[in-house]
């Protein structure tokens, strides 16, 4: 039998933080119908992507190590679904029978606008600025002071109200509060918490020396990036390959300025990506080839309007609405028949997409209408398939 433990509100854990509101919760933008790359070896008879969550039009999706979390609207209700491995409560509940794999679906009181997952934990941001948390807490990444695994609160209790954005590293959590403050919790051997120390933070603690005007916080591994409203990018954490600072390969313990005039940022495991206001893509750190110590332009023959990164691959959306991707190709996560690496941004134009999300071994594309899978790489929109928006 599954035990359900309610998670108490732990807003009091964030101390000495102003409650004055300046930022709004990130706007809700439905992602579209989700199709994700397979995890197993495939051949030409297999589709290159598979429908996710029965091809619902998703509001939010995130990927951890061996599990997937998604949120969608059905019958005017918000549904949160999780499936995959569940050894340390990754799916939001503790299984007494120690089954390593499971599925859970529940109804929430309000819409989820963003989901982020680390190695084995997840945060969910709701449209009112509340945050749900669950999963592994082995490094204190969920706050609260202890190291116990945490079940999801099935009644919508929050970590902290007044949150504008969220991010998750491998074993870390980050909350951008509406007053512009960022608080962090979890493992900090590389200074990931941004608190000026390598000590683990079991409570949510304000990041030190944070610049003003922060609009978003981005993380997928142990390097953290923030972007201000003026287009400045600051970073901290792991800097082994100069993904934060060109002058040292030591950990960066508090925010340091990387570059300006940036419209979007993406943080990988050992690299940082920047999309400038003029449409150029720059990289520093290591992805493939040589280590790049300074932000350097990546050659591309198409205009990229959106960019995302996971530990060792990058994906984006071109200005004409197609997927572009590059990086390491294991697990067919680059939507290719082989698992070869792709060294430069390369367009996949089998079907137009709305946006894309990445996991450590996953690429998930989102389309405006359902599509059908054909053998091998062939994927085409199904003109006879009506969009099911009206039914959701």
């Amino acid at each position: 039998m599954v035990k359900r433990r309610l998670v108490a509100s732990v807003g009091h854990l964030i101390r000495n933080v102003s409650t004055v509101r300046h930022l709004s919760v990130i706007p809700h933008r439905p992602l579209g119908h989700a199709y994700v790359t397979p995890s197993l070896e495939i051949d030409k008879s297999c589709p290159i992507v598979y429908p996710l969550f029965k091809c619902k039009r998703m509001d939010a999706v995130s990927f951890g190590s061996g599990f997937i979390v998604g949120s969608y609207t059905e019958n005017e209700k918000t549904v949160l679904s999780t499936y995959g491995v569940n050894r340390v409560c990754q799916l939001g509940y503790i299984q007494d029978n120690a089954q390593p794999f499971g599925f859970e679906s529940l109804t929430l009181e309000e819409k989820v606008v963003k989901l982020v997952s680390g190695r084995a934990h997840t945060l969910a941001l709701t449209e009112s600025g509340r945050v749900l948390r669950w999963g592994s807490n082995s490094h204190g990444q969920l706050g609260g002071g202890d190291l116990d695994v945490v079940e999801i609160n099935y009644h919508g209790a929050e970590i902290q109200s007044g949150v504008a954005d969220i991010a998750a590293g491998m074993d870390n959590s980050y909350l951008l509060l509406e007053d512009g403050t960022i608080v962090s919790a979890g493992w900090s051997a590389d200074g990931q918490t941004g608190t000026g120390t390598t000590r683990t933070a079991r409570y949510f603690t304000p990041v030190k020396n944070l610049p003003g005007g922060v609009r978003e916080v981005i993380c997928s591994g142990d390097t953290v990036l923030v972007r201000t409203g003026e287009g400045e990018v600051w970073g901290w954490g792991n800097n082994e390959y100069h993904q934060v600072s060109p002058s040292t390969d030591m950990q960066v313990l508090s925010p340091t300025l990387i570059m300006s005039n940036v419209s979007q940022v993406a943080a990988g495991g050992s690299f940082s990506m920047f999309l400038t206001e003029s449409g150029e893509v720059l990289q520093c750190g290591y992805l493939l080839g040589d280590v790049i110590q300074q932000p350097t332009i990546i050659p591309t023959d198409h205009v990229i309007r959106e960019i995302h990164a996971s530990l060792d691959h990058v994906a984006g959306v071109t200005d004409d609405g197609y997927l572009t991707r590059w990086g390491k190709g294991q697990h067919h996560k680059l939507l290719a028949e082989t698992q070869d690496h792709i060294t430069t941004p390369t367009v996949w134009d089998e079907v137009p997409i709305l946006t894309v999300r990445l996991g450590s071994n996953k690429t998930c594309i989102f389309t405006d209408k359902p599509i059908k899978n054909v053998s091998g790489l062939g994927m085409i929109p199904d003109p006879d398939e009506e969009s099911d928006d009206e039914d959701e």
Side-chain angles (χ1 to χ4, degrees):
M1 180 175 178
V2 175
K3 291 188 283 188
R4 312 274 193 199
R5 290 187 318 206
L6 298 184
V7 180
S9 171
V10 293
H12 65 281
L13 299 178
I14 302 178
R15 302 182 176 92
N16 301 319
V17 176
S18 170
T19 59
V20 177
R21 294 189 173 187
H22 301 291
L23 297 175
S24 299
V25 179
I26 58 173
H28 171 243
R29 298 187 180 95
L31 300 177
H33 301 281
Y35 295 85
V36 67
T37 52
S39 298
L40 304 176
E41 189 71 25
I42 64 172
D43 57 33
K44 291 183 179 180
S45 66
C46 300
I48 205 69
V49 292
Y50 292 83
L52 187 63
F53 294 111
K54 298 182 179 179
C55 200
K56 299 290 186 183
R57 181 174 285 274
M58 304 304 296
D59 291 320
V61 171
S62 66
F63 300 90
S65 296
F67 67 97
I68 301 175
V69 184
S71 176
Y72 56 89
T73 301
E74 188 171 60
N75 298 323
E76 300 183 350
K77 299 288 186 179
T78 295
V79 179
L80 184 69
S81 291
T82 60
Y83 74 87
V85 296
N86 196 36
R87 293 181 178 87
V88 287
C89 207
Q90 293 101 313
L91 306 188
Y93 64 95
I94 297 173
Q95 292 174 280
D96 292 342
N97 56 5
Q99 292 291 327
F101 190 92
F103 175 86
E104 181 70 3
S105 185
L106 59 116
T107 301
L108 299 180
E109 298 173 357
E110 57 180 324
K111 191 175 294 294
V112 172
V113 299
K114 188 173 184 179
L115 288 163
V116 294
S117 295
R119 189 197 314 270
H121 75 289
T122 298
L123 303 178
L125 176 63
T126 70
E127 59 186 351
S128 69
R130 300 192 300 175
V131 176
L132 300 173
R133 59 170 190 168
W134 66 91
S136 172
N137 196 32
S138 58
H139 298 288
Q141 58 264 47
L142 295 176
D146 57 46
L147 299 179
D148 296 334
V149 297
V150 176
E151 287 192 296
I152 191 171
N153 187 302
Y154 282 73
H155 298 285
E158 70 276 11
I159 287 181
Q160 166 75 23
S161 60
V163 176
D165 195 12
I166 57 176
M170 293 296 286
D171 301 296
N172 303 87
S173 298
Y174 305 90
L175 312 180
L176 171 59
L177 305 185
E178 290 180 338
D179 68 351
T181 303
I182 293 179
V183 292
S184 64
W187 182 246
S188 196
D190 284 322
Q192 299 97 308
T193 58
T195 56
T197 177
T198 56
R199 294 192 298 271
T200 293
R202 296 187 182 184
Y203 294 91
F204 279 99
T205 306
V207 172
K208 292 184 176 181
N209 304 319
L210 193 70
V214 172
R215 292 294 180 266
E216 65 175 338
V217 54
I218 302 293
C219 186
S220 68
D222 295 322
T223 302
V224 190
L225 303 177
V226 297
R227 185 183 60 84
T228 71
E230 300 298 320
E232 291 183 344
V233 177
W234 296 64
W236 65 90
N238 186 283
N239 186 48
E240 183 178 359
Y241 296 97
H242 302 279
Q243 58 264 47
V244 175
S245 172
S247 61
T248 178
D249 59 2
M250 299 296 292
Q251 308 103 316
V252 177
L253 303 184
S254 60
T256 185
L257 179 64
I258 302 175
M259 64 175 294
S260 304
N261 301 317
V262 174
S263 61
Q264 292 184 38
V265 295
S270 56
F271 61 91
S272 300
M273 291 282 173
F274 316 94
L275 181 61
T276 69
E277 296 170 356
S278 60
E280 295 174 324
V281 178
L282 293 88
Q283 173 193 330
C284 60
Y286 172 76
L287 177 54
L288 294 171
D290 298 327
V291 173
I292 303 174
Q293 293 187 316
Q294 297 272 8
T296 301
I297 294 175
I298 297 175
T300 177
D301 58 3
H302 47 273
V303 177
I304 298 175
R305 62 173 168 83
E306 182 181 323
I307 192 169
H308 302 271
S310 187
L311 296 180
D312 60 8
H313 73 301
V314 187
V317 183
T318 65
D319 62 344
D320 53 355
Y322 288 97
L323 175 74
T324 182
R325 75 283 197 232
W326 67 101
K328 296 187 177 180
Q330 298 96 325
H331 306 282
H332 301 279
K333 61 192 174 194
L334 298 182
L335 281 80
E337 183 180 347
T338 72
Q339 299 187 63
D340 295 341
H341 304 333
I342 298 178
T343 57
T344 58
T346 304
V347 172
W348 185 81
D349 58 2
E350 295 288 342
V351 64
I353 68 171
L354 297 174
T355 188
V356 61
R357 294 293 184 270
L358 305 182
S360 58
N361 289 313
K362 296 286 187 183
T363 295
C364 186
I365 60 172
F366 298 87
T367 63
D368 184 44
K369 294 182 178 181
I371 58 178
K372 65 179 181 180
N373 295 331
V374 181
S375 295
L377 299 182
M379 293 188 54
I380 58 174
D382 186 350
D384 299 322
E385 182 99 35
E386 293 291 334
S387 174
D388 59 356
D389 294 350
E390 295 80 13
D391 299 326
E392 295 183 10

